[in-house]
Amino acid sequence: MEPEAAERELSIVEREIIGYIVSVAAVVRLPKSVGEIFGLLYISRIPLSMDRIMQKLGVSLGTASQGIKTLRSFGAIRSTYIPGERKEHFVAETDFRKLLNRLILDDWRPKLEVATERLEWIESQMQSQPRTGEGLNDQDSFLNEKLVTLKRLNDRANLLFKPISKIIGT
């Protein structure tokens, strides 16, 4: 069994820390429950089973299971062995540099690279379209403006990774 400390209610400070983590998770568009689960594991002195997570947060099995799956995919939590326990127990990753590296660089950078390649392909398709004697028609001009805007946005997003990489030390 887990120690008696796992049975007590969350203190105001513990709830506020979890709330803070929920708000940070919302910035990267993670569900509230994912932030709550990570927050609970982050403030816990002991590894927690899924049952304990459900009990302490008042969430369903489905919510807890999906939250744990999401957090594992980011490397934000990991399983740990508890002698004599059959249930799986979880602990939070507390190296935030590693978490940021995984989330931002390992997840977002490849998506931006794919987006950049796609925009380049779209541009090549626009350039290879047959033109009339006057150049671009109204629809082509309109789409070209949209493409220029998307490329500018994509370029700015790519520029963000240089300082972020320096900040998190990759």
Side-chain angles (χ1 to χ4, degrees):
M1 285 302 276
E2 293 175 350
E4 296 284 327
E7 297 296 332
R8 67 178 175 74
E9 291 291 317
L10 295 172
S11 73
I12 185 76
V13 172
E14 290 170 326
R15 288 193 308 267
E16 288 300 317
I17 290 171
I18 291 171
Y20 171 79
I21 292 172
V22 166
S23 66
V24 171
V27 170
V28 291
R29 304 276 192 240
L30 290 173
K32 177 183 176 186
S33 58
V34 171
E36 288 175 325
I37 293 167
F38 180 79
L40 177 65
L41 292 171
Y42 180 75
I43 64 167
S44 181
R45 291 178 163 269
I46 59 171
L48 298 176
S49 68
M50 187 166 334
D51 290 344
R52 285 286 186 239
I53 292 168
M54 291 167 40
Q55 177 187 27
K56 287 189 138 322
L57 295 176
V59 297
S60 70
L61 175 61
T63 297
S65 179
Q66 187 60 42
I68 287 169
K69 180 180 176 183
T70 299
L71 290 165
R72 277 184 162 165
S73 75
F74 293 131
I77 65 170
R78 61 181 165 73
S79 295
T80 189
Y81 173 71
I82 305 290
E85 288 283 328
R86 295 184 70 178
K87 293 179 181 177
E88 191 171 20
H89 287 72
F90 305 96
V91 294
E93 172 62 62
T94 57
D95 183 345
F96 288 103
R97 179 175 282 171
K98 187 185 298 184
L99 280 175
L100 282 173
N101 191 8
R102 283 187 184 137
L103 179 65
I104 294 172
L105 299 179
D106 294 348
D107 187 48
W108 293 352
R109 181 184 285 155
K111 290 175 182 170
L112 261 177
E113 288 171 358
V114 168
T116 301
E117 290 169 8
R118 190 168 194 176
L119 288 172
E120 289 169 356
W121 184 85
I122 293 169
E123 185 175 40
S124 74
Q125 294 302 302
M126 286 195 67
Q127 291 172 354
S128 69
Q129 287 184 348
R131 307 257 189 263
T132 62
E134 301 98 36
L136 297 176
N137 65 33
D138 284 344
Q139 181 64 15
D140 287 345
S141 292
F142 175 77
L143 292 175
N144 192 55
E145 288 176 28
K146 297 298 182 185
L147 181 60
V148 167
T149 301
L150 290 174
K151 286 181 65 181
R152 196 174 305 129
L153 177 65
N154 193 70
D155 289 345
R156 287 179 181 162
N158 277 311
L159 283 174
L160 283 174
F161 281 103
K162 290 178 183 176
I164 289 172
S165 294
K166 286 181 182 178
I167 290 169
I168 61 177
T170 59

